[in-house]
Amino acid sequence: MTTTIPPRHDASSPATAAQPDFDGVDLQALARRVGTPCYAYSASAIRQRIRELQQALGGLDATLCYAVKANSNIAILQLMAQSGVGADIVSAGELRRCLHAGIPADRIVFSGVGKSEDEIAGALTAGILRFNVESHDELLTLERLAQAQQVTARAAVRINPDVDAQTHAKISTGKSENKFGVSIDEARRWFAGSALLAHVRLDGLHVHIGSQILSVEPFRLALKRVAAFWRELVQAGHPIESIDVGGGLGVCYRAGEDHPVAASDYADVIRETLADYCGRLLLEPGRYLVAEAGVLLTRVIRIKHGVERRFLVLDAAMNDLQRPSLYDAWHDIVPVSAEHAARPVATYDIVGPVCETGDTFARARPVPECAAGDLLLIKATGAYGASMASTYNSRPLAAEVLLDHGRYAVVRRRQHFEDMIAGEQPARSWQTL
Ligand SMILES: *Cc1c(COP(=O)(O)O)cnc(C)c1O
């Protein structure tokens, strides 16, 4: 069933509005130059988000530690470093990227339930700011490895506050059934026994309840629980030097539908719930800083007329952008040229070339009629796009480009076939153990 409906003369309509340029760069010309699929990130938009958040936190002793997993391109990390932003890492690879990009170790915090001994030892050697510890076993491992290096590790307990972040189940992390953090009861026992830790200074609290949160209420609830626990700890003689409030601020994926929390409202919740706290605050925004600063440029390969549906087949696929197949995520998809945007609207299932039914960006989506070769934008793909990409179906990793006031720089060249198979080899020298 295909229907062509007349164009809606509504320039603000996400389905029909053209976006010919981004951060002053002509996207048609860019696509011709670097090819598609290609991620383009606006440096100005990222700096703007950083400023917004820093200004909202004005007067507080607050440090932004960008969640590297959202977009770990070295150029993005350099941009963070230049703005004085630190990092929240979850692996040794991310630590190396950050140090390589010039983010100082004393602005790096390390989260995650599965830090290996090698990763912990490497982070201790680098002298990172803090470990966000997620289990008692990890705490004991940290003590042992810090002792071996004759250093004192600084640690925060990641609290699982049992709060429903009201987001997609796969990106909810703060409920008691989730693998993250420990209960306040368990954390209380850690502090009670902390005098026995000679090489771990346990003086921080950490909480991160999930991602793409579009209301202040889950933040308020989680921070109230953390604040109450902090007061109890201080009473019990355990000074708390830092409270890390995590990330999770949502962004607009669907124009007119998603209403993100304003940075100032978020900061107000922090001020309100932690009003009498004078230690250091850490924040771990990921998506908020980069998602809307990125677009995925893709061309239409062909239109395929199925029995029931009309398929718009793009040259981008789920290997380039997993969010729709992984989380059923919505991304606005718009034409680049004004000429294209003026065409009548048609409804398509928008898919990629990968051999999976899940390789679908949108179902029954109204967009201006398309033809082979048309250039489209998949919007708000600066976070959890390129960083989650794979070479599934032996498709090369897409190019990534940073834009800044009319200029562009390729920050990841499109992967060559040789890069893709590097490390693979025929089974020639067989060995036995
Ligand atoms: C993923 C993650 C973040 C960032 O989440 P966003 O929703 O991208 O802001 C922050 N902290 C921790 C511990 C995370 O795992």
Side-chain angles (χ1 to χ4, degrees), residues 22 30 52 57 78 161 165 192 201 223 229 259 262 284 292 324 345 353 374:
F22 195 33
L30 182 72
E52 250 173 52
L57 296 162
Q78 271 170 351
R201 181 149 28 101
L223 290 184
F229 185 45
H259 303 288
E284 304 171 338
E292 290 179 62
V345 170
D374 282 343

Side-chain angles (χ1 to χ4, degrees), residues 24-46:
V25 174
D26 178 328
L27 293 175
Q28 295 272 10
L30 182 72
R32 279 195 297 274
R33 187 69 61 86
V34 297
T36 54
C38 164
Y39 279 100
Y41 312 123
S42 160
S44 313
I46 295 172

Side-chain angles (χ1 to χ4, degrees), residues 1-2 300-314 347-352 357 359-360 362-364 370:
M1 287 287 295
T2 57
V300 176
I301 294 181
R302 62 174 55 85
I303 315 288
K304 172 174 170 170
H305 297 271
V307 176
E308 295 195 355
R309 289 168 171 264
R310 186 154 44 164
F311 297 97
L312 186 59
V313 187
L314 307 180
T347 302
Y348 302 99
D349 278 14
I350 304 180
V351 303
T357 301
D359 185 21
T360 299
R363 289 193 177 77
C370 291

Side-chain angles (χ1 to χ4, degrees), residues 65 67 69-70 88 90 111-112 132 134 158 173 180 206-208 210-213 244 246-250 284-288 383-384:
C65 293
K69 70 183 192 286
D88 166 40
V90 292
S111 305
N132 290 330
E134 308 222 13
R158 177 162 177 180
T173 58
F180 299 100
H206 173 233
V207 66
H208 171 72
S211 206
Q212 185 53 14
I213 299 169
D244 183 331
L249 268 179
E284 304 171 338
R287 190 186 310 269
Y288 178 81
Y384 307 104

Side-chain angles (χ1 to χ4, degrees), residues 168-334:
H168 190 284
K170 285 185 184 167
I171 50 175
S172 176
T173 58
K175 292 180 76 177
S176 57
E177 72 216 42
N178 299 134
K179 70 178 176 181
F180 299 100
V182 302
S183 67
I184 285 178
D185 283 344
E186 178 168 349
R188 190 179 286 124
R189 291 194 293 272
W190 291 16
F191 280 97
S194 60
L196 299 172
L197 301 168
H199 298 88
V200 174
R201 181 149 28 101
L202 188 64
D203 60 1
L205 294 177
H206 173 233
V207 66
H208 171 72
I209 55 171
S211 206
Q212 185 53 14
I213 299 169
L214 293 172
S215 148
V216 290
E217 290 316 315
F219 291 118
R220 179 176 284 127
L221 197 53
L223 290 184
K224 272 187 173 166
R225 289 186 185 165
V226 168
F229 185 45
W230 159 65
R231 283 188 202 99
E232 177 196 323
L233 288 171
V234 172
Q235 291 284 311
H238 300 292
I240 296 299
E241 284 192 5
S242 83
I243 295 182
D244 183 331
V245 301
L249 268 179
V251 300
C252 180
Y253 284 113
R254 190 171 180 176
E257 298 274 329
D258 294 338
H259 303 288
V261 173
S264 54
D265 292 339
Y266 176 64
D268 284 349
V269 168
I270 295 174
R271 279 181 223 280
E272 167 202 318
T273 51
L274 292 166
D276 39 348
Y277 173 72
C278 359
R280 185 178 194 183
L281 287 165
L282 302 173
L283 290 86
E284 304 171 338
R287 190 186 310 269
Y288 178 81
L289 297 184
V290 293
E292 290 179 62
V295 296
L296 177 56
L297 277 165
T298 174
R299 269 192 210 285
V300 176
I301 294 181
R302 62 174 55 85
I303 315 288
K304 172 174 170 170
H305 297 271
V307 176
E308 295 195 355
R309 289 168 171 264
R310 186 154 44 164
F311 297 97
L312 186 59
V313 187
L314 307 180
D315 66 1
M318 64 186 285
N319 72 295
D320 304 300
L321 176 65
Q322 275 205 57
R323 297 191 68 261
S325 49
L326 192 57
Y327 313 125
D328 294 314
W330 177 289
H331 286 270
D332 285 335
I333 301 177
V334 304

